[in-house]
Structures are given as C-alpha cells and as structure tokens.
Amino acid sequence: MSINTFLYKCFSTGYNICNTLIYSLILVFFVFQIHNVFRKFRIKVDGEFALSTLPFIVVGSSLRVLQDAGILSSFLFVTPFIYGFVAIIFFLLLFISLFIQRKLTVPYSVVMVTVGSATAGILLGLLHFINFEPITLILLFLLPWFL
C-alpha cells in the first residue's frame, strides 16, 4: 500500500482510529511548542489569561455554526482545521497585545477581550436566532466575570 493510499483511507472517511491518533499526536506536539513559547516570552497562564481566551471560544463556535448554516463556506471552518485557524488568530493577537502592553501600558487582556468580543459579536450578529433562551442563559452565566 502506497503512502497516498494510506493517507486517503485514513482521512477520507470521517473520524476513525487512524486520523484521531494522528490529530492527537499533532495536538500534543503543538501543546509542547506553545508551552515552550510561553516560557520563552514569560506568558503566565492565570485568570487574566483564561478570561482573554473566552471570546475566542465563542469565535470558534460561531464560525463553525456559520459554516454549518451555509453562511460561510471554507475548509478552514470545519473540524479539525477550525481549531488551528482560531489558534493562529488567537496567538497572533496575543503577541500584538503583548507588544501594545509594552509600548502603551495597556494590559494585554484588555486588548484580547475587546478584539475577541467585538469579533464574536460580529459573528453572532450574522446568525438568525429563533430561540433566545440559550443565549440569555449563557450571557447570565458570564455576567459575574464581567462585573
């Protein structure tokens, strides 16, 4: 069996043990790389950092919903590629935010939350809500962290 045949069988049938194992190995590799970058740039993973990630979780979810609804159409918005796409955006913005923090003394988390929330708001605005109860419950759940 050639490598092309193997890869085609591994990645053309949805999730299976082969592609799940390969995706897992890629994830572990990138987690170690991110850990090394965080150590090198002295980025602390604390509450402030965790809060900065929340809007990007909404961005990723919204992009996937927009893809499923047919509003957006790209392989970048399908699992597993959407994780990498959102991660690249997140880390680019993180380093831009850290640069802004050094030059203007604006906390990086403020830039991250502001840009992430604005992006999430734009994407959520593209959706057509039928039932507002779930979004209301989510906003009520998140409210204490923003007060």
Side-chain angles (χ1 to χ4, degrees):
M1 176 184 330
S2 72
I3 189 76
N4 289 340
T5 306
F6 170 75
L7 290 174
Y8 179 77
K9 285 184 177 180
C10 184
F11 290 100
S12 67
T13 59
Y15 285 110
N16 56 47
I17 190 71
C18 176
N19 62 20
T20 300
L21 181 63
I22 291 171
Y23 293 145
S24 300
L25 291 173
I26 292 169
L27 174 67
V28 168
F29 172 78
F30 278 109
V31 165
F32 279 112
Q33 295 307 314
I34 290 167
H35 174 72
N36 291 335
V37 169
F38 278 18
R39 275 198 353 223
K40 181 178 180 180
F41 288 97
R42 294 187 205 116
I43 299 171
K44 293 189 314 184
V45 178
D46 54 6
E48 183 178 16
F49 181 83
L51 184 64
S52 300
T53 64
L54 288 178
F56 293 92
I57 295 169
V58 176
V59 166
S61 303
S62 300
L63 285 171
R64 180 56 199 249
V65 168
L66 291 169
Q67 168 75 23
D68 290 345
I71 297 170
L72 297 177
S73 179
S74 173
F75 74 95
L76 289 175
F77 305 134
V78 179
T79 309
F81 305 109
I82 193 166
Y83 300 124
F85 179 71
V86 174
I88 289 169
I89 292 170
F90 175 81
F91 287 112
L92 284 173
L93 184 59
L94 175 63
F95 286 110
I96 291 169
S97 299
L98 289 170
F99 178 77
I100 290 171
Q101 177 176 288
R102 284 194 199 117
K103 296 295 181 184
L104 303 176
T105 64
V106 175
Y108 80 92
S109 59
V110 171
V111 176
M112 296 287 292
V113 169
T114 302
V115 173
S117 297
T119 305
I122 291 167
L123 293 173
L124 288 172
L126 295 174
L127 295 173
H128 304 287
F129 290 101
I130 297 169
N131 182 357
F132 286 94
E133 183 180 357
I135 193 72
T136 304
L137 292 173
I138 291 169
L139 292 174
L140 286 173
F141 173 77
L142 292 175
L143 187 62
W145 281 277
F146 291 103
L147 295 179

